[in-house]
Amino acid sequence: MAADDVPIWAVRLRAEREKQLWAVPEMARQLRHAAGGALPDLDSLVRMIKKWEAGKHLPGERYQLLYGRAFGVSREHLFGTGAQPAEGPAAPLGADEVAGFGAWAESTNVGPGTLGYYAGAVNRLAHDYLHQPPDPVRVRAAELTRGVFGLVQNGRQRLDQTRELYGSAAKLCAFTAWACGDLGQMQAADAHARTAMILAEQADLPPVRALAFSVQSKTAFWEKRHTEAAVLARRGYECSPNDTMKVFLACQEADAWQELGDVPRALEALRSVDRARAEVDRDDEVGGLFSCGLARQLNYTMTVRLRAADPAAAIASAEQALEAYRQGEEWAYGTWAQIRVGMAHGYLLLRELEGADAALAPVLAQPPDLRLATVVTRVAELGRLLAQTRYRDDPLARSLREQIDEYRAGKQAVGREEGGAGDRVSDA
């Protein structure tokens, strides 16, 4: 091909390369860098670049975009509007270009070890959150999330690997939504919950979708959108496999209805809880924070029974939950504290001060956890019950009120030290 016959775009490609003082192999490296490494080997790219600069055939759309990115100019500047040869049909693809695309399609920036690491890290976070302060665990989750996002956005994976990365990213966003809600950061909680659902839909993994519905329901509950919380929990229940997340979603639905005072719907949701428990036939997708052992389930049952004005049944549920812990079920402070506070509430409704004192004493002896402001709120409700006329002159009632006041004062001091987290609840 005579020099005068070389297309203008080919002349521009060479001129821009020489302007950057790049040899052809360096141009190949720059294209690979622009693509995040997901391109053919350097020797194949060098051959392709030489053919492009000679005007033998037009780079494909992907390579046009990568050239623009490498040079920091627009695609139109290099190739013109439409980016087609001035005369005749487009040249057929050469063997090198076809082989290059095949190599790109097979390339990946992750392997089984990386995928397994992220999947395992999510599970560790969910377990650690039960026993560690929330903010350091959330920081670790943020670092992991950035890593997964970077792999998806800047690299190349097989379709099954991308799906698995989306699943891990959805779980990490779900975890962060929960943690942000516990810390009173509701805008961040809502954004992470919504992104978790988007990623879960892209991954098309039912257990991850159920997890996303759970955190969306929890966020709606925190924001007092209780009807929406119930609906979201039901949708998660309907798509969940038979693990304890399904049990938990039914518990969330029951909790939302009882908060609205709709006892019949709350009791119907408890029947779904029992059915889901009976049908569990697989391990949890994540576990830890997102699992629902018997104690956690009975905590929700107890709350509904209190709302239904059945204190004896509520106390029975609390006793069964504490027995589950004695039998070795994984212990979590939030659930344990709420069980004991609910049990004390039941005893007060039955006018049994000694039972209330025994149930509440271990909670009042613990320093208040800022994540669990709802525990403190419920303890405050007991203080209001104890202030009623029938208890006014009782020495034990007076002693309990004083202990509750001290507990609440301790919580307020912690809140000032930590900057305040708002009245959010985590039953983990």
Side-chain angles (χ1 to χ4, degrees):
M1 181 182 293
D4 292 343
D5 295 331
V6 176
I8 188 62
W9 55 262
V11 175
R12 287 181 184 137
L13 290 183
R14 180 167 182 171
E16 288 288 343
R17 175 176 62 78
E18 292 177 346
K19 179 180 175 181
Q20 300 290 336
L21 302 179
W22 293 342
V24 173
E26 179 60 24
M27 183 74 251
R29 282 188 284 272
Q30 291 295 330
L31 289 174
R32 284 180 61 82
H33 178 73
L39 286 180
D41 62 86
L42 287 177
D43 289 342
S44 296
L45 270 177
V46 166
R47 289 193 295 269
M48 292 161 65
I49 290 167
K50 288 179 178 178
K51 290 182 179 180
W52 291 330
E53 291 188 2
K56 292 184 178 179
H57 61 78
L58 181 71
E61 180 179 359
R62 171 176 170 77
Y63 285 101
Q64 291 179 28
L65 293 170
L66 292 176
Y67 258 117
R69 191 180 302 168
F71 289 138
V73 299
S74 70
R75 173 187 173 190
E76 288 72 20
H77 170 77
L78 292 172
F79 298 99
T81 305
Q84 291 294 330
E87 299 178 1
L93 291 172
D96 285 341
E97 191 168 5
V98 172
F101 181 80
W104 174 80
E106 286 185 333
S107 66
T108 178
N109 63 335
V110 298
T114 300
L115 295 170
Y117 170 76
Y118 281 111
V122 176
N123 291 24
R124 287 191 294 275
L125 285 172
H127 283 278
D128 289 348
Y129 194 76
L130 298 178
H131 312 292
Q132 297 180 15
D135 215 35
V137 184
R138 187 188 57 164
V139 169
R140 285 165 47 203
E143 293 170 352
L144 290 165
T145 305
R146 290 191 190 96
V148 175
F149 284 0
L151 288 172
V152 173
Q153 292 176 310
N154 302 318
R156 166 70 182 172
Q157 307 90 35
R158 297 193 305 271
L159 292 178
D160 61 315
Q161 293 173 327
T162 301
R163 185 185 186 201
E164 193 167 341
L165 283 173
Y166 270 55
S168 291
K171 295 173 192 175
L172 285 164
C173 284
F175 172 84
T176 304
W178 196 289
C180 287
D182 278 350
L183 293 167
Q185 300 167 5
M186 298 314 300
Q187 184 176 358
D190 185 66
H192 280 88
R194 291 178 185 276
T195 303
M197 180 57 73
I198 292 170
L199 294 167
E201 294 287 355
Q202 291 289 324
D204 193 25
L205 297 170
V208 183
R209 190 180 293 115
L211 179 64
F213 273 121
S214 175
V215 294
Q216 282 196 320
S217 174
K218 195 66 171 177
T219 303
F221 189 96
W222 277 319
E223 295 182 329
K224 303 188 185 304
R225 295 180 279 118
H226 298 116
T227 300
E228 183 181 348
V231 170
L232 287 166
R234 171 51 56 171
R235 291 181 65 188
Y237 177 88
E238 290 170 350
C239 74
S240 178
N242 292 329
D243 57 11
T244 75
M245 171 53 69
K246 188 170 187 175
V247 179
F248 182 56
L249 283 156
C251 288
Q252 287 182 284
E253 183 186 4
D255 198 31
W257 289 129
Q258 72 80 22
E259 191 70 19
L260 285 166
D262 193 333
V263 173
R265 283 185 172 178
L267 292 173
E268 177 57 35
L270 285 186
R271 287 189 279 274
S272 294
V273 171
D274 292 335
R275 285 193 296 272
R277 175 66 68 186
E279 294 170 358
V280 170
D281 60 9
R282 56 177 285 168
D283 292 334
D284 293 318
E285 182 73 14
V286 177
L289 175 64
F290 297 113
S291 65
C292 189
L294 185 59
R296 195 177 195 184
Q297 172 186 331
L298 288 165
N299 179 41
Y300 283 99
T301 301
M302 175 195 68
T303 303
V304 173
R305 298 300 182 192
L306 287 172
R307 176 70 71 173
D310 190 352
I315 292 169
S317 295
E319 289 173 341
Q320 292 174 50
L322 295 175
E323 179 60 27
Y325 281 138
R326 285 191 286 269
Q327 295 298 320
E329 188 165 298
E330 186 173 21
W331 184 86
Y333 172 79
T335 303
W336 169 84
Q338 290 189 56
I339 289 166
R340 286 200 160 274
V341 173
M343 177 185 281
H345 193 168
Y347 276 120
L348 286 181
L349 292 177
L350 294 174
R351 302 190 182 186
E352 297 183 16
L353 278 173
E354 291 79 6
D357 180 48
L360 193 58
V363 177
L364 298 180
Q366 294 278 339
D369 188 324
L370 191 58
R371 286 178 294 174
L372 306 171
T374 294
V375 172
V376 181
T377 299
R378 293 181 181 178
V379 169
E381 291 173 3
L382 300 186
R384 285 190 288 273
L385 285 174
L386 288 164
Q388 293 176 355
T389 303
R390 63 188 177 206
Y391 293 127
R392 186 167 298 165
D393 297 323
D394 189 293
L396 181 54
R398 186 166 52 253
S399 173
L400 272 173
R401 286 200 307 272
E402 291 171 355
Q403 293 177 63
I404 287 170
D405 288 342
E406 290 175 6
Y407 181 82
R408 294 178 63 195
K411 185 267 177 183
Q412 290 168 358
V414 172
R416 286 191 296 271
E417 291 171 6
E418 299 292 336
D423 290 335
R424 306 298 171 197
V425 58
S426 174
D427 69 330

